[in-house]
Amino acid sequence: MTESVGTYVHESHGSVHGGEGPQYNFYVAAAAATSRLRDQAGRRPHTISQTDRVHLYQRFVDPPHFTRVREVLREARVVLLDGPPGSGRRAAALMLLHQLPDSQGSLHELPDTLDDSAASVFDAREVSTGDRLLLDLSEAEEARYVEMQRHLFAFRDRLSPLDAHLVVVLPHHLGYLLRDDLRHLSAEIGRPNSRRVLARHLRCEDIEPTPTDLDSPELVSYLARAPLHKVAALADGIRRHRDTDGASQRFPQWLAAALADEHDQAGRVAADIAAEESGRRRALLLSLAMFHGSPPSTVLHATNALLKVLSHPHDETPRLNRTDLYAEFTAIRAEVDADGRVCFALPGYDSAVRDHFWTYMPDVRRQLRDWFQDCMSSPGLRPAERKAAVARFAEQGLRCQRPEDLRALVERWTRTDAAVRYVPDAAQLLALGLSDDLHGRYFRQQIYDWSTAADTNEGLRHVLVLVCSESMAPTHPDQALVRLHHLARRGKVRTGAAAQEAVLSLARSENRLYELMLNRLSADKDQRTWAARDSALFLALADPIRRIHSPRVRALLIHGWSATLRHPDEWWAEHVSHWLSACLEYAEHRDHVLEVLATACASDSRTAGRLYRAARVWQRAADRAVADRADTVHRLLHAIDTQQGIESYS
């Protein structure tokens, strides 16, 4: 009788290894995390890329006093932009810079954290000719705001000769701290007309409401109190209902449905919870609000977990004598749809329930964090349910000034012993913290601390690579570059390779970041500690053609090559061949390329000998253009002799 030996899996909710050899499950989780981050990035309002600025420009309505702000910026090259919260200060700042004449510089945001011990964010990088700079201090604390003003005058002096401009968004709540000698640079905008903002957004979506359509009392009341980002969200809601309903309905129906989505149910929820004496019923309310649109079993699991974490007495009543879930859902105005998903009958009710618990039960917020972690440990949660629940938890933690709750879950979900299914959750939670107006800087600083710490585990490092490249890079590329560089240095094989690929991709994306990365590789005080990895990064990044005409870039390339050529193993020889081949393909850049290589080894004759030996190997490998290669090597030797003060033979 012959028996077959194998593996049979009846049911699995996690990773299963049924054979020999290594198993890699992280990549699937990483792909899911990347998908979540990219989906979230598509809705982020803070990106400053050309495409996003054009999108904003098409929908932008000039706020009151905007002409005055333009005049200050044109005359002084610096404007301190103020305005009440909800007036669209950041959007106005971006449009001020976007509407300036095109120049050879770039439009980017100044870093808002002191990375690598920089003395000030104004010293974090060199200003290039024609740069258009944004510094958002709208949520700055008092000490930081005062410190920024101290450095602003010296920074302003550097802008004028470079034809550069700077817009600083001021913290409106700290207006009393503005220095008297800076007041002539400040200008305040008012709130744009909300009706015009809505109409402009709708017009860009090919929706043309009549004046009567925009005069409904409910809409007028909503526009009077909603911040501008809510007005934009309302326009998007109208567009979504138009796309869903098609020709079967018209604008009044789309508007009513979109307003219902935005309806504030806070008063009703407060009354319902006050009238509800059952602790289990209240737990059911919050559980359904957090896992809205999930199956009944998920809501039941969350309810039982909440009762347990809050030490609620166990119900000793026999199960069949207790009310079933259907009756309990009915009692809290919830319904089960045709797909078996439980939802509240009233639009916006779930959001109001979450707000109520986190706002009016502040003494249990830490327990709510632990409860949420317990709920997310269920392997039965589907990816869509996890994604929605993470967003809801992040919203409450950030709204209630508890970013440390998000940080704690990220650390727990990326521990060495954590399941890989938490990777997308941790990445999403961290990205949501980064995109928050008030706490974004807190998370950028936290990511820097994690990136530079020696004891950060590889799971967390890999999540940081994903978040920096997908979420931070579009909004704060300078800071993302710094963090990815540290991760590329410190990460082990898989994480280090992913970070290196990410930092190189970001550095290659624009000339300013290319120069910034070359500068880090050549000027970093910790270079000796990471010499091998930095040399590998330099060789992968350095381009024999890109910006080679710039004296600044050539100086950076010379410094990088000088450090690299000193490695005796000569693993850099292949890259030397690439640079010499570029001399043949791009003859107009040949002199600059040879100047860089020759100057890099000018101070060390042994290094010059190794470079020349590598060049001779490249010459002998020729199967065509033999004479051109010989001429190039001859020119290189002449350049080396010249740099060393040696008179070459003719």
Side-chain angles (χ1 to χ4, degrees):
M1 186 172 111
T2 303
E3 293 183 356
S4 60
V5 179
T7 301
Y8 169 71
V9 180
H10 172 67
E11 183 177 13
S12 171
H13 296 293
S15 303
V16 175
H17 193 190
E20 297 179 352
Q23 181 189 25
Y24 303 99
N25 300 295
F26 193 90
Y27 293 106
V28 176
T34 301
S35 177
R36 280 201 210 179
L37 296 178
R38 289 179 179 174
D39 178 64
Q40 181 179 315
R43 297 189 295 270
R44 187 183 296 115
H46 284 180
T47 51
I48 57 177
S49 68
Q50 174 73 14
T51 302
D52 294 320
R53 283 187 277 119
V54 170
H55 178 87
L56 176 60
Y57 177 73
Q58 294 169 344
R59 292 157 176 78
F60 184 70
V61 174
D62 285 4
H65 317 305
F66 201 54
T67 302
R68 157 70 179 160
V69 182
R70 283 199 189 100
E71 291 175 353
V72 174
L73 180 62
R74 185 180 65 252
E75 295 172 1
R77 298 187 180 277
V78 175
V79 65
L80 310 181
L81 180 64
D82 200 359
S87 59
R89 290 168 293 175
R90 183 182 172 90
L94 283 174
M95 288 301 94
L96 282 169
L97 297 171
H98 177 73
Q99 294 170 10
L100 289 172
D102 288 336
S103 64
Q104 57 182 307
S106 64
L107 193 160
H108 60 276
E109 187 164 1
L110 289 174
D112 59 357
T113 54
L114 300 181
D115 300 343
D116 294 347
S117 301
S120 164
V121 299
F122 294 122
D123 300 327
R125 59 173 299 276
E126 291 294 326
V127 180
S128 299
T129 302
D131 276 356
R132 292 166 288 170
L133 309 172
L134 169 66
L135 179 61
D136 190 348
L137 299 177
S138 57
E139 300 297 339
E141 64 276 7
E142 293 184 6
R144 178 166 170 258
Y145 181 44
V146 171
E147 178 71 12
M148 289 293 183
Q149 294 181 70
R150 235 174 22 89
H151 295 283
L152 187 56
F153 265 114
F155 188 70
R156 180 193 172 196
D157 292 339
R158 299 167 57 191
L159 300 180
S160 183
L162 293 171
D163 191 29
H165 296 78
L166 169 67
V167 178
V168 182
V169 182
L170 298 182
H172 188 69
H173 61 292
L174 299 179
Y176 63 94
L177 290 177
L178 181 62
R179 289 169 46 152
D180 291 337
D181 52 1
L182 290 176
R183 290 191 182 278
H184 68 287
L185 298 175
S186 67
E188 183 170 349
I189 61 171
R191 174 186 168 93
N193 184 286
S194 298
R195 176 172 167 149
R196 289 184 59 201
V197 172
L198 178 64
R200 179 71 64 86
H201 277 74
L202 293 174
R203 193 176 304 119
C204 290
E205 302 294 344
D206 295 324
I207 300 175
E208 297 281 354
T210 66
T212 304
D213 289 334
L214 299 177
D215 285 337
S216 70
E218 188 175 5
L219 177 60
V220 171
S221 174
Y222 180 84
L223 294 178
R225 66 180 188 276
L228 290 183
H229 71 272
K230 285 286 190 180
V231 177
L234 177 64
D236 187 62
I238 294 171
R239 189 267 310 163
R240 283 188 284 103
H241 285 287
R242 186 275 311 270
D243 294 344
T244 302
D245 300 333
S248 62
Q249 295 184 1
R250 289 291 180 263
F251 182 81
Q253 288 76 34
W254 303 332
L255 173 62
L259 284 172
D261 295 339
E262 301 290 330
H263 194 64
D264 185 5
Q265 299 282 1
R268 181 187 291 270
V269 165
D272 290 346
I273 292 178
E276 184 57 70
E277 297 181 356
S278 167
R280 175 178 173 81
R281 196 72 59 79
R282 291 181 175 182
L284 189 66
L285 274 168
L286 180 56
S287 299
L288 177 53
M290 185 59 71
F291 295 94
H292 202 242
S294 298
S297 58
T298 299
V299 181
L300 176 62
H301 173 77
T303 301
N304 292 336
L306 181 57
L307 293 173
K308 181 178 180 181
V309 79
L310 293 177
S311 303
H312 198 274
H314 181 68
D315 188 354
E316 300 294 342
T317 306
R319 182 65 187 94
L320 294 180
N321 289 343
R322 285 183 260 155
T323 307
D324 65 11
L325 272 178
Y326 184 86
E328 288 187 295
F329 288 148
T330 301
I332 60 172
R333 299 190 184 91
E335 302 171 344
V336 181
D337 63 17
D339 295 327
R341 309 286 172 177
V342 190
C343 299
F344 287 112
L346 297 174
Y349 195 87
D350 60 310
S351 176
V353 169
R354 295 190 297 271
D355 288 351
H356 185 92
F357 274 88
W358 257 271
T359 300
Y360 299 110
M361 294 186 179
D363 52 322
V364 299
R365 287 173 182 165
R366 182 182 60 79
Q367 290 93 322
L368 291 179
R369 179 197 68 195
D370 296 339
W371 162 69
F372 181 69
Q373 181 188 2
D374 289 344
C375 293
M376 296 297 286
S377 67
S378 172
L381 280 176
R382 299 182 182 182
E385 296 166 2
R386 302 183 75 92
K387 177 181 176 182
V390 167
R392 292 162 186 157
F393 175 82
E395 178 187 24
Q396 296 306 319
L398 296 170
R399 185 181 64 84
C400 294
Q401 316 298 319
R402 292 182 63 88
E404 64 275 9
D405 285 347
L406 280 67
R407 184 200 67 216
L409 288 186
V410 169
E411 290 177 331
R412 294 178 188 179
W413 287 344
T414 55
R415 291 184 308 196
T416 304
D417 58 348
V420 294
R421 65 171 174 269
Y422 291 121
V423 170
D425 303 330
Q428 180 190 359
L429 200 59
L430 197 51
L432 288 167
L434 284 172
S435 65
D436 186 70
D437 290 340
L438 183 58
H439 299 102
R441 182 172 179 266
Y442 169 91
F443 286 98
R444 285 189 288 276
Q445 186 63 58
Q446 181 62 64
I447 291 176
Y448 177 80
D449 294 341
W450 279 327
S451 301
T452 56
D455 59 349
T456 300
N457 66 67
E458 289 302 287
L460 179 53
R461 282 200 179 110
H462 208 107
V463 167
L464 297 180
V465 172
L466 294 173
V467 171
C468 286
S469 56
E470 298 292 341
S471 299
M472 190 186 295
T475 57
H476 297 80
D478 301 57
Q479 292 164 290
L481 192 79
V482 171
R483 287 147 183 77
L484 288 170
H485 184 197
H486 283 294
L487 292 165
R489 286 170 160 179
R490 292 165 173 80
K492 294 182 181 177
V493 177
R494 183 183 62 194
T495 305
Q500 177 171 321
E501 181 181 352
V503 75
L504 290 173
S505 176
L506 180 57
R508 292 168 181 150
S509 64
E510 62 173 279
N511 288 334
R512 183 181 66 84
L513 297 176
Y514 174 70
E515 292 188 29
L516 180 60
M517 189 62 192
L518 286 177
N519 185 65
R520 286 188 59 79
L521 293 171
S522 63
D524 197 313
K525 65 180 186 301
D526 293 329
Q527 189 179 25
R528 289 187 178 181
T529 307
W530 313 103
R533 293 206 175 187
D534 275 1
S535 291
L537 282 170
F538 171 78
L539 291 175
L541 177 65
D543 191 297
I545 303 303
R546 184 172 189 172
R547 303 277 293 157
I548 196 70
H549 63 278
S550 166
R552 170 177 165 78
V553 171
R554 289 201 302 275
L556 294 173
L557 291 171
I558 288 168
H559 194 290
W561 269 115
S562 179
T564 301
L565 290 172
R566 282 176 168 77
H567 288 277
D569 295 338
E570 299 189 14
W571 46 271
W572 38 260
E574 180 181 349
H575 295 272
V576 170
S577 298
H578 170 62
W579 276 57
L580 294 175
S581 296
C583 292
L584 303 183
E585 188 173 356
Y586 304 97
E588 67 274 19
H589 298 305
R590 180 183 57 194
D591 291 343
H592 285 325
V593 172
L594 297 180
E595 174 196 344
V596 168
L597 293 176
T599 309
C601 63
S603 61
D604 185 355
S605 59
R606 286 178 299 179
T607 301
R610 287 197 293 267
L611 174 62
Y612 181 66
R613 184 167 59 249
R616 293 281 296 183
V617 171
W618 169 78
Q619 177 186 346
R620 290 193 295 269
D623 56 358
R624 56 186 177 85
V626 176
D628 290 339
R629 288 201 177 203
D631 179 62
T632 299
V633 173
H634 173 73
R635 289 174 181 273
L636 174 62
L637 178 59
H638 179 73
I640 293 173
D641 289 344
T642 301
Q643 291 295 332
Q644 293 182 341
I646 301 174
E647 183 177 351
S648 300
Y649 291 106
S650 60

